[in-house]
């Protein structure tokens, strides 16, 4: 992982830990692999009981760098912001409630977590179903 990714991840997890509405954070995709030195973007999966509040807080309260562009995408119960910061770094913040975790993973999300998944912070072992999915599909 690139040094600027580590810096953002550290600052984001520190900030998110102070937000009572965020219950868990994971890295998803190739960026979750510590050995990966590719120029892959950071992709966070956040679990929150206040999805809209969390998304707005990321845009307006997370003090990292000025935002050049933010694109919102809806994926059913998961909403994401793809943010490009002033330095050119792109980060995706996907936010969902706990009910999203109880749904079976669709093919696209299943493929994404198989490329990498790392729990960064978790108050209640929320990501157990995703971890089990990875364990049962890793040798297919």
């Amino acid at each position: 992982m690139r040094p600027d990714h580590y810096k953002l991840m550290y600052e984001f997890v520190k900030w998110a830990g102070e937000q009572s509405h965020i219950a868990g954070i994971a890295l998803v995709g190739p960026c979750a692999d510590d050995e990966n030195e590719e120029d892959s973007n950071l992709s966070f999966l956040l679990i929150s009981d206040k999805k809209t509040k969390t998304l707005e807080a990321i845009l307006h309260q997370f003090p990292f760098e000025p935002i050049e562009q933010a694109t919102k995408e809806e994926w059913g119960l998961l909403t994401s912001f793809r943010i490009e910061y002033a330095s050119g770094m792109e980060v995706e913040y996907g936010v969902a409630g706990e009910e999203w975790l109880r749904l079976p993973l669709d093919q696209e999300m299943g493929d994404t977590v198989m490329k990498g998944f790392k729990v960064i912070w978790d108050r209640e072992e929320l990501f157990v179903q995703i971890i089990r999915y990875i364990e049962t599909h890793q040798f297919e």
Side-chain angles (χ1 to χ4, degrees), residues 64-69 83-89:
F64 184 64
E65 290 180 359
I67 294 173
E68 292 291 316
Q69 182 176 349
I83 295 177
E84 182 179 338
Y85 289 100
S87 65
M89 186 179 352

Side-chain angles (χ1 to χ4, degrees), residues 96-111:
E98 289 185 43
E99 66 277 6
W100 180 84
L101 290 170
R102 291 189 284 275
L103 297 174
L105 292 180
D106 63 22
Q107 184 67 45
E108 185 175 0
M109 189 61 178
D111 291 346

